[in-house]
Amino acid sequence: MQSDATDVEFGPFRLDTKREQLWRDAQPVEIRRKTWQVLQQLIVDPGRLVSRDELLDTVWPDVEVVPAAVTQSIHELRRAFSDDARHPEFIETVHGRGFRFVAPVRRVVSKREDPGLPRRELSPSERMRSSFPRREPELARLKALFEDARGGQRRVVFVTGEVGIGKTSLVRAFLDDLTETQLNEAPLVVAGACVEHHGEDEAYRPLLNAL
């Protein structure tokens, strides 16, 4: 059986609202869940100015986060859209007030498989391979180093590359693909985020956030 669902299309992109997946043509675009929720708030009423406080209250209702968390999600969306903040095609920044989704939006009804039918979901690493087919060696290397650490050997790993190349997505796919046994044997996984900040700030804020 199939059920109808409404997708949102803009430019070459499509929001699969049922499965919470962003697509560019036939290719999946991986973004963080919070970034997905920010996009949903912007696109629900295109052209409306959405304040930073509204996004914080809606996307992070029960968590105290710095306002820069919104900025990080906006930057991630701009990278996904290849959007220029100075000449935006999709997301406009109104300085001191908020953000506005400016691209024309089409809402379309598409046919989907009945969610009650058995369906195999791709693992995070499989989604990574489909989006970045050349990343398999990096994923395999991370897994090998992780096994070294589980065996008692200290390991420090640097994942490097230019902005927007997918470093965070690679690490997230690696972590999400660990088995329950591996996670149970891991002592602790912590994370901190670097976001653009204007003016003075704490240089070690990502480490403090993780701790």
Side-chain angles (χ1 to χ4, degrees):
M1 295 178 61
Q2 291 184 327
S3 60
D4 293 345
T6 301
D7 287 350
V8 181
E9 296 182 347
F10 49 95
F13 298 96
R14 176 171 60 88
L15 281 180
D16 183 336
T17 56
K18 189 181 183 69
R19 295 181 181 142
E20 296 191 354
Q21 176 65 59
L22 175 65
W23 296 83
R24 181 176 187 132
D25 297 323
Q27 295 298 319
V29 180
E30 296 301 324
I31 57 177
R32 296 178 300 122
R33 178 170 176 78
K34 290 299 184 184
T35 299
W36 168 272
Q37 293 172 342
V38 168
L39 178 57
Q40 280 187 311
Q41 293 303 311
L42 293 175
I43 211 169
V44 68
D45 189 6
R48 183 177 76 88
L49 182 65
V50 183
S51 69
R52 188 184 300 269
D53 287 342
E54 180 180 344
L55 290 172
L56 287 170
D57 292 342
T58 305
V59 179
W60 291 270
D62 302 316
V63 182
E64 185 175 349
V65 297
V66 296
V70 174
T71 304
Q72 181 183 9
S73 289
I74 294 296
H75 284 341
E76 186 174 344
L77 289 173
R78 285 198 172 119
R79 287 197 300 269
F81 300 152
S82 299
D83 204 14
D84 185 347
R86 295 168 297 181
H87 306 285
E89 296 182 31
F90 299 99
I91 299 176
E92 176 188 28
T93 298
V94 181
H95 293 288
R97 297 178 60 195
F99 308 93
R100 181 184 288 120
F101 196 86
V102 296
V105 167
R106 304 177 299 278
R107 301 187 185 278
V108 297
V109 176
S110 60
K111 296 292 185 180
R112 306 276 173 70
E113 293 180 357
D114 190 314
L117 296 177
R119 181 176 177 273
R120 177 180 176 273
E121 295 288 344
L122 295 178
S123 71
S125 64
E126 287 173 323
R127 290 198 299 270
M128 170 65 74
R129 293 185 185 102
S130 67
S131 302
F132 305 101
R134 298 179 182 178
R135 295 295 175 87
E136 291 189 23
E138 286 83 356
L139 283 170
R141 181 60 174 161
L142 287 174
K143 290 180 179 180
L145 292 169
F146 181 77
E147 289 302 318
D148 289 346
R150 289 178 66 203
Q153 302 181 55
R154 295 179 180 177
R155 290 288 182 261
V156 177
V157 182
F158 293 92
V159 179
T160 64
E162 62 188 48
V163 174
I165 201 172
K167 300 183 294 295
T168 301
S169 296
L170 174 68
V171 174
R172 187 180 300 115
F174 157 69
L175 291 174
D176 288 347
D177 206 40
L178 294 178
T179 66
E180 184 175 350
T181 300
Q182 290 173 319
L183 287 174
N184 287 339
E185 293 180 2
L188 183 64
V189 175
V190 297
C194 292
V195 297
E196 183 178 11
H197 184 84
H198 300 284
E200 295 184 0
D201 196 15
E202 169 57 57
Y204 291 95
R205 183 173 298 281
L207 290 177
L208 296 176
N209 287 342
L211 296 174

Tab-separated table of all heavy atoms in Angstrom, residues 145-174:
chain	number	residue	atom	x	y	z
A	145	LEU	N	41.205	2.492	14.351
A	145	LEU	CA	41.793	3.225	15.477
A	145	LEU	C	40.931	3.095	16.726
A	145	LEU	O	41.453	3.034	17.848
A	145	LEU	CB	41.978	4.689	15.093
A	145	LEU	CG	43.033	4.953	14.011
A	145	LEU	CD1	42.946	6.379	13.520
A	145	LEU	CD2	44.437	4.647	14.536
A	146	PHE	N	39.626	3.049	16.537
A	146	PHE	CA	38.735	2.855	17.676
A	146	PHE	C	38.977	1.494	18.322
A	146	PHE	O	38.976	1.360	19.553
A	146	PHE	CB	37.279	2.981	17.224
A	146	PHE	CG	36.281	2.826	18.338
A	146	PHE	CD1	36.049	3.868	19.237
A	146	PHE	CD2	35.571	1.643	18.503
A	146	PHE	CE1	35.140	3.731	20.253
A	146	PHE	CE2	34.660	1.502	19.532
A	146	PHE	CZ	34.433	2.542	20.406
A	147	GLU	N	39.194	0.474	17.493
A	147	GLU	CA	39.482	-0.860	18.036
A	147	GLU	C	40.803	-0.855	18.796
A	147	GLU	O	40.938	-1.532	19.824
A	147	GLU	CB	39.504	-1.888	16.902
A	147	GLU	CG	38.137	-2.178	16.305
A	147	GLU	CD	37.155	-2.688	17.348
A	147	GLU	OE1	37.546	-3.526	18.185
A	147	GLU	OE2	35.989	-2.234	17.335
A	148	ASP	N	41.788	-0.085	18.307
A	148	ASP	CA	43.039	0.049	19.049
A	148	ASP	C	42.778	0.635	20.436
A	148	ASP	O	43.330	0.168	21.444
A	148	ASP	CB	44.018	0.967	18.298
A	148	ASP	CG	44.576	0.315	17.046
A	148	ASP	OD1	44.424	-0.916	16.902
A	148	ASP	OD2	45.171	1.031	16.220
A	149	ALA	N	41.935	1.670	20.485
A	149	ALA	CA	41.626	2.309	21.764
A	149	ALA	C	40.889	1.353	22.690
A	149	ALA	O	41.148	1.316	23.897
A	149	ALA	CB	40.794	3.564	21.534
A	150	ARG	N	39.978	0.572	22.132
A	150	ARG	CA	39.271	-0.428	22.958
A	150	ARG	C	40.246	-1.453	23.527
A	150	ARG	O	40.017	-2.012	24.604
A	150	ARG	CB	38.220	-1.145	22.123
A	150	ARG	CG	37.016	-0.287	21.768
A	150	ARG	CD	36.045	-1.076	20.903
A	150	ARG	NE	35.461	-2.192	21.655
A	150	ARG	CZ	34.937	-3.281	21.093
A	150	ARG	NH1	34.976	-3.425	19.780
A	150	ARG	NH2	34.406	-4.227	21.835
A	151	GLY	N	41.330	-1.687	22.774
A	151	GLY	CA	42.322	-2.649	23.238
A	151	GLY	C	43.342	-2.063	24.195
A	151	GLY	O	44.283	-2.761	24.590
A	152	GLY	N	43.187	-0.790	24.547
A	152	GLY	CA	44.067	-0.196	25.543
A	152	GLY	C	45.164	0.690	24.980
A	152	GLY	O	45.997	1.208	25.737
A	153	GLN	N	45.204	0.889	23.651
A	153	GLN	CA	46.220	1.751	23.060
A	153	GLN	C	45.665	3.169	22.903
A	153	GLN	O	44.593	3.361	22.338
A	153	GLN	CB	46.643	1.221	21.690
A	153	GLN	CG	47.193	-0.194	21.713
A	153	GLN	CD	47.616	-0.647	20.329
A	153	GLN	OE1	48.410	0.013	19.669
A	153	GLN	NE2	47.073	-1.773	19.882
A	154	ARG	N	46.412	4.139	23.403
A	154	ARG	CA	45.957	5.517	23.299
A	154	ARG	C	46.026	5.988	21.856
A	154	ARG	O	46.989	5.749	21.152
A	154	ARG	CB	46.810	6.429	24.179
A	154	ARG	CG	46.665	6.139	25.668
A	154	ARG	CD	47.547	7.055	26.485
A	154	ARG	NE	47.419	6.785	27.902
A	154	ARG	CZ	48.118	7.398	28.855
A	154	ARG	NH1	49.018	8.322	28.501
A	154	ARG	NH2	47.939	7.106	30.113
A	155	ARG	N	44.990	6.677	21.432
A	155	ARG	CA	44.930	7.168	20.061
A	155	ARG	C	44.376	8.595	20.046
A	155	ARG	O	43.371	8.875	20.698
A	155	ARG	CB	44.043	6.271	19.195
A	155	ARG	CG	44.643	4.894	18.917
A	155	ARG	CD	45.799	5.015	17.938
A	155	ARG	NE	46.381	3.744	17.591
A	155	ARG	CZ	47.494	3.261	18.137
A	155	ARG	NH1	48.121	3.961	19.092
A	155	ARG	NH2	47.977	2.099	17.765
A	156	VAL	N	45.022	9.471	19.308
A	156	VAL	CA	44.510	10.819	19.047
A	156	VAL	C	44.374	10.953	17.538
A	156	VAL	O	45.340	10.733	16.805
A	156	VAL	CB	45.455	11.913	19.596
A	156	VAL	CG1	44.924	13.296	19.231
A	156	VAL	CG2	45.608	11.775	21.110
A	157	VAL	N	43.185	11.288	17.070
A	157	VAL	CA	42.902	11.319	15.640
A	157	VAL	C	42.461	12.724	15.250
A	157	VAL	O	41.604	13.320	15.907
A	157	VAL	CB	41.787	10.315	15.276
A	157	VAL	CG1	41.532	10.323	13.771
A	157	VAL	CG2	42.161	8.920	15.749
A	158	PHE	N	43.036	13.252	14.201
A	158	PHE	CA	42.637	14.547	13.658
A	158	PHE	C	41.934	14.320	12.321
A	158	PHE	O	42.497	13.688	11.421
A	158	PHE	CB	43.854	15.458	13.450
A	158	PHE	CG	44.517	15.880	14.727
A	158	PHE	CD1	45.560	15.140	15.263
A	158	PHE	CD2	44.088	17.011	15.408
A	158	PHE	CE1	46.172	15.518	16.442
A	158	PHE	CE2	44.684	17.395	16.583
A	158	PHE	CZ	45.737	16.659	17.110
A	159	VAL	N	40.716	14.818	12.201
A	159	VAL	CA	39.981	14.795	10.936
A	159	VAL	C	40.049	16.213	10.378
A	159	VAL	O	39.473	17.134	10.940
A	159	VAL	CB	38.520	14.355	11.140
A	159	VAL	CG1	37.774	14.355	9.809
A	159	VAL	CG2	38.469	12.967	11.771
A	160	THR	N	40.772	16.392	9.289
A	160	THR	CA	41.046	17.738	8.782
A	160	THR	C	40.506	17.910	7.366
A	160	THR	O	40.223	16.938	6.665
A	160	THR	CB	42.553	18.029	8.783
A	160	THR	OG1	43.207	17.127	7.871
A	160	THR	CG2	43.150	17.826	10.173
A	161	GLY	N	40.356	19.151	6.961
A	161	GLY	CA	39.884	19.453	5.611
A	161	GLY	C	39.277	20.829	5.562
A	161	GLY	O	39.049	21.465	6.598
A	162	GLU	N	38.987	21.296	4.361
A	162	GLU	CA	38.454	22.639	4.204
A	162	GLU	C	37.026	22.724	4.731
A	162	GLU	O	36.358	21.706	4.949
A	162	GLU	CB	38.497	23.045	2.729
A	162	GLU	CG	37.638	22.163	1.835
A	162	GLU	CD	37.849	22.457	0.367
A	162	GLU	OE1	39.021	22.535	-0.055
A	162	GLU	OE2	36.851	22.611	-0.351
A	163	VAL	N	36.556	23.945	4.943
A	163	VAL	CA	35.218	24.182	5.477
A	163	VAL	C	34.162	23.598	4.538
A	163	VAL	O	34.231	23.768	3.319
A	163	VAL	CB	34.982	25.693	5.663
A	163	VAL	CG1	33.547	25.952	6.083
A	163	VAL	CG2	35.954	26.258	6.679
A	164	GLY	N	33.202	22.872	5.121
A	164	GLY	CA	32.085	22.336	4.349
A	164	GLY	C	32.356	21.040	3.637
A	164	GLY	O	31.496	20.549	2.898
A	165	ILE	N	33.515	20.433	3.865
A	165	ILE	CA	33.858	19.211	3.134
A	165	ILE	C	33.161	17.978	3.709
A	165	ILE	O	33.087	16.941	3.074
A	165	ILE	CB	35.391	19.010	3.130
A	165	ILE	CG1	35.804	18.078	1.992
A	165	ILE	CG2	35.890	18.494	4.473
A	165	ILE	CD1	37.300	17.970	1.799
A	166	GLY	N	32.660	18.102	4.959
A	166	GLY	CA	31.924	16.992	5.554
A	166	GLY	C	32.635	16.309	6.697
A	166	GLY	O	32.380	15.136	6.987
A	167	LYS	N	33.510	17.036	7.409
A	167	LYS	CA	34.267	16.419	8.511
A	167	LYS	C	33.328	15.986	9.645
A	167	LYS	O	33.418	14.866	10.148
A	167	LYS	CB	35.310	17.411	9.036
A	167	LYS	CG	36.315	17.862	7.994
A	167	LYS	CD	37.368	18.795	8.584
A	167	LYS	CE	36.782	20.114	9.052
A	167	LYS	NZ	36.244	20.921	7.918
A	168	THR	N	32.414	16.875	10.021
A	168	THR	CA	31.482	16.555	11.101
A	168	THR	C	30.563	15.410	10.706
A	168	THR	O	30.287	14.516	11.515
A	168	THR	CB	30.652	17.796	11.469
A	168	THR	OG1	31.532	18.841	11.882
A	168	THR	CG2	29.691	17.486	12.613
A	169	SER	N	30.088	15.408	9.460
A	169	SER	CA	29.221	14.323	8.991
A	169	SER	C	29.948	12.986	9.028
A	169	SER	O	29.365	11.953	9.359
A	169	SER	CB	28.732	14.612	7.576
A	169	SER	OG	27.929	15.772	7.544
A	170	LEU	N	31.236	12.999	8.678
A	170	LEU	CA	32.026	11.769	8.712
A	170	LEU	C	32.129	11.233	10.133
A	170	LEU	O	31.879	10.045	10.386
A	170	LEU	CB	33.418	12.029	8.143
A	170	LEU	CG	34.415	10.867	8.230
A	170	LEU	CD1	33.992	9.735	7.323
A	170	LEU	CD2	35.821	11.337	7.891
A	171	VAL	N	32.466	12.102	11.086
A	171	VAL	CA	32.601	11.660	12.484
A	171	VAL	C	31.260	11.184	13.025
A	171	VAL	O	31.175	10.168	13.733
A	171	VAL	CB	33.173	12.799	13.348
A	171	VAL	CG1	33.174	12.408	14.813
A	171	VAL	CG2	34.593	13.147	12.899
A	172	ARG	N	30.182	11.910	12.686
A	172	ARG	CA	28.862	11.520	13.176
A	172	ARG	C	28.452	10.161	12.622
A	172	ARG	O	27.889	9.328	13.334
A	172	ARG	CB	27.835	12.582	12.798
A	172	ARG	CG	26.463	12.356	13.416
A	172	ARG	CD	25.475	13.438	13.022
A	172	ARG	NE	25.950	14.734	13.463
A	172	ARG	CZ	26.280	15.714	12.631
A	172	ARG	NH1	26.191	15.542	11.330
A	172	ARG	NH2	26.691	16.871	13.100
A	173	ALA	N	28.731	9.923	11.333
A	173	ALA	CA	28.400	8.641	10.730
A	173	ALA	C	29.179	7.515	11.400
A	173	ALA	O	28.640	6.439	11.657
A	173	ALA	CB	28.688	8.668	9.231
A	174	PHE	N	30.453	7.772	11.701
A	174	PHE	CA	31.278	6.767	12.388
A	174	PHE	C	30.699	6.437	13.766
A	174	PHE	O	30.539	5.275	14.131
A	174	PHE	CB	32.710	7.279	12.520
A	174	PHE	CG	33.496	6.633	13.623
A	174	PHE	CD1	33.880	5.306	13.544
A	174	PHE	CD2	33.840	7.353	14.759
A	174	PHE	CE1	34.592	4.706	14.568
A	174	PHE	CE2	34.548	6.765	15.784
A	174	PHE	CZ	34.930	5.441	15.691
